[in-house]
Amino acid sequence: MPFWPSPVSTTDVARSGRRPSWPVARDGQVWWTEDRPDEGGRTTIVRRAADGTHSELLAAPWCARTRVHEYGGRPYAVTPAGEVVFCNLADQRLYRGHDDPVPLTPAGDGSRYADLLVRDGRVWCVRERHHDGKVTRSVVSFALDAPGDMREHVTGADFYAFPALSPDGRHLAFVCWDHPLMPWDGTELRVARLSDGATWTVAGGPSESVLAPQWKDDDYLYLVSDRSGWWNLHEAPVHGGPSRALHPAGEEFAGPLWRLGGMPYTVLGDGRLAVLHGRGDLRLGLLDPRTGALRDLDAPCEGWDPALAADGGAVIGVGYGPTAPRTVLRVDTATGGAETLARDAERLPDPAWLPSPRAVELPGREGRRVHARLYPPTGGDPGAAPPYVVFVHGGPTAHAGTALDLEKALLTSRGIGVLDVDYGGSTGYGRAYRELLRGRWGVVDVEDVVAAAEWLATEGLADPARVAVRGGSAGGWTVMAACCRSGVFAGGVSYYGVSALAPLVTHTHDFESRYVEWLVGPEDPALYATREPLALVGGVTCPMLLLQGLDDPIVPPEQSAAFADALAERGVPCTYLAFEGESHGFRRAETRATALAAELAFYQQIFS
């Protein structure tokens, strides 16, 4: 099958990954981070002054990126004077300033920092220390002008997030949790009295996920809790008493805590809350905490990253839509007007070539309804059923958003449709849907993507002989497992996927080191052999393409290499591409272009 001519090239896609993220706003100024694919994928900080001028604050080789939990998060904070304090990727030290950054934290002590907050002349943050093969975390602070004055305020839990100082500076709120829980399973919101270190729990527990505390005043905290089965906003008294749901709804007001430093709501100057809420993608609304009234803002996007900032009556965030790249927007809550501050890609193909998704629910096993989004091809032969690629998101505790994705446009503009599946276990649809994957990773996710492929054929949307499956990380696991268990796919593409569980448990990083217990169960070779692709590789009959970064600390390259070797031993066609200097998620333009070109060539081969 020759591809339909397309104006979307692999180079266009590779260079589009500026990924504006983590906005901070103050006094008419806005800061955010941007990736630089053409500069080795480094991350810089951009400032937009009140007069509308832009400045890139960090020149090469500086790279603002934290490795806390390996997934990182917001790597910087802004001082009252407008200086940045940021974490530098190469050495994980904190620095102050941008023209000639000055180190604030010691070198070589194995520390990493995230969730930065500057208040009262001090930097407050989560510190992660790697020492003698052990990882410990705490909430610390140090004086901006005397960084040697490092104070450890709370420690003892395995994980910390969201440090927040009370308005009077006397109390510190924070979220914590312990192995084997993940932050979407169960967390505690605790408060520490800074004068004597006494701490107590305000909300949460092993079966309640509490996130994103912010102080309403010295006596009350806002928080997000899923005690109702949905992550809803609450108001809780600090010194005891029940919390109050501000707007009870069967919607999510937050997402899973994979990266530290984001806030899915923000307090405006008049006391109202700018919130994100919805199912799947989250939309922007205004919530009156006194009455519970919620109304949506007419912003020009369908979804938002869970990281909002406020500046008086304005809310600043990163919004997106199927035909709009990720965009830093300032929304005036009085008028509803939205101002574009920066975009992921300045040049886009003609909108006629961009796919428009349709939300669908398809029948899964055991009566499940599976959420997905259908992206029909914009090119191709209208008289024939087209090929399709089933996309499988990573996580697996995550979901597939509707942000403009030129990787999808690369396919749809060439006559290949895309079905993006939120299999059971995905977020955005409440705790019950999220927990469908508990103990059933490699079962529910595989059943749902296989059901998605079968649905495409049953509905006459796709040529049943030309359906492929593609995913990264946990999605790569599902791709490999689905190809092991079903003959419905013409081929599979895995980016840095998990192929074996025991090596993952042994070698993965601390944050996810107990995650497999929740996803599959306690370590048991017999159980693992019924789930992991490497043990089931004998069932693969379709060609596969495996892509891997050689510096990946989350899914080591041995995972992809072992699966490629096993396929080669069986004579199953397999291409394995490994990339020096790439980690978990390709950042360099040249790597992304090479990988996408290989993927296109793979589809050309299997769909012919």
Side-chain angles (χ1 to χ4, degrees):
M1 161 194 149
F3 284 146
W4 200 259
S6 168
V8 185
S9 72
T10 57
T11 302
D12 293 333
V13 180
R15 290 177 176 172
S16 67
R18 298 171 72 89
R19 303 181 191 182
S21 303
W22 310 114
V24 171
R26 181 179 300 146
D27 300 327
Q29 298 186 86
V30 181
W31 295 258
W32 62 87
T33 62
E34 281 187 8
D35 288 356
R36 294 288 182 260
D38 292 331
E39 299 178 29
R42 75 178 188 93
T43 303
T44 187
I45 300 172
V46 177
R47 179 183 62 209
R48 186 184 191 272
D51 64 5
T53 58
H54 288 66
S55 304
E56 182 173 327
L57 299 185
L58 300 181
W62 297 102
C63 179
R65 198 180 308 155
T66 173
R67 290 187 58 191
V68 168
H69 296 181
E70 295 299 348
Y71 291 105
R74 181 167 55 85
Y76 76 103
V78 180
T79 73
E83 283 189 304
V84 292
V85 174
F86 69 95
C87 182
N88 185 49
L89 176 64
D91 56 11
Q92 290 298 288
R93 299 174 73 185
L94 293 181
Y95 289 79
R96 177 181 183 178
H98 55 273
D99 291 329
D100 188 15
V102 176
L104 297 175
T105 54
D109 69 347
S111 292
R112 305 173 181 182
Y113 306 89
D115 245 351
L116 308 179
L117 166 70
V118 180
R119 264 280 307 272
D120 303 331
R122 301 185 69 83
V123 179
W124 303 74
C125 58
V126 173
R127 180 180 66 185
E128 176 181 281
R129 298 196 72 178
H130 296 248
H131 183 67
D132 287 342
K134 297 181 180 180
V135 183
T136 58
R137 297 175 183 87
S138 54
V139 178
V140 302
S141 74
F142 60 86
L144 266 175
D145 296 326
D149 174 27
M150 180 80 73
R151 302 175 191 172
E152 187 174 73
H153 298 286
V154 290
T155 191
D158 290 331
F159 301 96
Y160 291 93
F162 300 110
L165 275 177
S166 61
D168 63 11
R170 297 172 58 191
H171 294 94
L172 174 72
F174 58 93
V175 167
C176 60
W177 68 97
D178 291 314
H179 283 308
L181 297 174
M182 297 298 282
W184 41 87
D185 300 326
T187 62
E188 287 186 78
L189 167 56
R190 296 182 62 81
V191 170
R193 188 167 54 229
L194 294 175
S195 61
D196 60 8
T199 65
W200 60 91
T201 298
V202 173
S207 59
E208 178 185 359
S209 173
V210 177
L211 305 170
Q214 291 197 62
W215 292 87
K216 175 184 178 182
D217 52 37
D218 290 326
D219 298 312
Y220 284 87
L221 281 160
Y222 295 125
L223 59 96
V224 176
S225 166
D226 72 348
R227 69 185 61 174
S228 70
W230 297 85
W231 272 312
N232 280 189
L233 269 163
H234 292 249
E235 175 185 294
V238 173
H239 299 287
S243 68
R244 175 178 69 92
L246 300 181
H247 183 88
E251 296 183 326
E252 304 283 41
F253 284 71
L257 186 64
W258 281 103
R259 300 193 293 168
L260 299 184
M263 188 59 66
Y265 68 97
T266 188
V267 183
L268 299 169
D270 61 5
R272 291 180 301 168
L273 307 180
V275 303
L276 300 178
H277 69 108
R279 296 192 179 194
D281 285 334
L282 304 181
R283 59 190 183 274
L284 180 65
L286 284 180
L287 174 63
D288 187 332
R290 297 168 301 172
T291 66
L294 173 63
R295 69 175 179 87
D296 286 344
L297 289 167
D298 188 21
C301 14
E302 297 186 18
W304 295 77
D305 288 351
L308 297 179
D311 189 13
V315 58
I316 295 89
V318 178
Y320 55 81
T323 59
R326 306 188 95 84
T327 302
V328 183
L329 290 165
R330 187 205 313 263
V331 180
D332 186 323
T333 58
T335 67
E339 179 186 8
T340 295
L341 308 184
R343 294 170 18 128
D344 187 304
E346 294 302 326
R347 292 184 301 171
L348 293 174
D350 186 312
W353 291 97
L354 300 178
S356 179
R358 174 167 62 92
V360 297
E361 284 191 17
L362 53 96
R365 305 292 187 264
E366 302 174 355
R368 289 194 302 274
R369 301 299 295 176
V370 181
H371 300 278
R373 290 183 177 85
L374 184 74
Y375 296 79
T378 53
D381 182 356
Y388 259 79
V389 177
V390 175
F391 274 42
V392 189
H393 66 72
T397 308
H399 82 280
T402 60
L404 170 65
D405 183 353
L406 290 182
E407 291 186 4
K408 292 187 177 77
L410 190 74
L411 302 182
T412 58
S413 63
R414 286 170 167 78
I416 302 171
V418 170
L419 183 64
D420 212 351
V421 181
D422 274 338
Y423 49 82
S426 301
T427 57
Y429 308 97
R431 184 163 185 136
Y433 195 78
R434 196 165 77 233
E435 292 199 338
L436 287 174
L437 210 58
R438 182 189 287 269
R440 303 186 71 192
W441 193 37
V443 178
V444 168
D445 52 323
V446 170
E447 290 177 347
D448 287 356
V449 299
V450 170
E454 293 171 342
W455 176 82
L456 285 169
T458 300
E459 294 294 310
L461 297 168
D463 179 345
R466 296 188 296 166
V467 178
V469 61
R470 180 243 209 213
S473 190
W477 152 281
T478 304
V479 166
M480 289 186 277
C483 291
C484 290
R485 291 180 174 275
S486 172
V488 72
F489 295 109
V493 178
S494 168
Y495 283 78
Y496 31 86
V498 176
S499 69
L501 294 173
L504 180 69
V505 171
T506 302
H507 299 296
T508 197
H509 57 116
D510 183 62
F511 177 62
E512 290 185 282
S513 62
R514 305 286 294 276
Y515 193 19
V516 171
E517 290 183 30
W518 188 93
L519 290 169
V520 179
E523 189 165 357
D524 178 349
L527 173 62
Y528 284 6
T530 67
R531 302 289 182 84
E532 60 189 17
L534 194 58
L536 303 171
V537 68
V540 180
T541 58
C542 64
M544 300 202 69
L545 171 64
L546 311 179
L547 304 107
Q548 177 71 48
L550 292 178
D551 293 342
D552 191 336
I554 295 171
V555 180
E558 292 78 13
Q559 293 270 346
S560 294
F563 197 72
D565 289 344
L567 290 174
E569 289 176 6
R570 295 188 57 255
V572 176
C574 175
T575 299
Y576 172 55
L577 298 179
F579 299 93
E580 294 279 357
E582 289 288 2
S583 182
H584 199 69
F586 300 159
R587 290 180 175 270
R588 298 175 177 177
E590 59 270 26
T591 301
R592 298 181 68 206
T594 299
L596 290 169
E599 190 175 352
L600 273 181
F602 179 76
Y603 296 138
Q604 178 83 59
Q605 179 184 26
I606 65 172
F607 291 155
S608 295

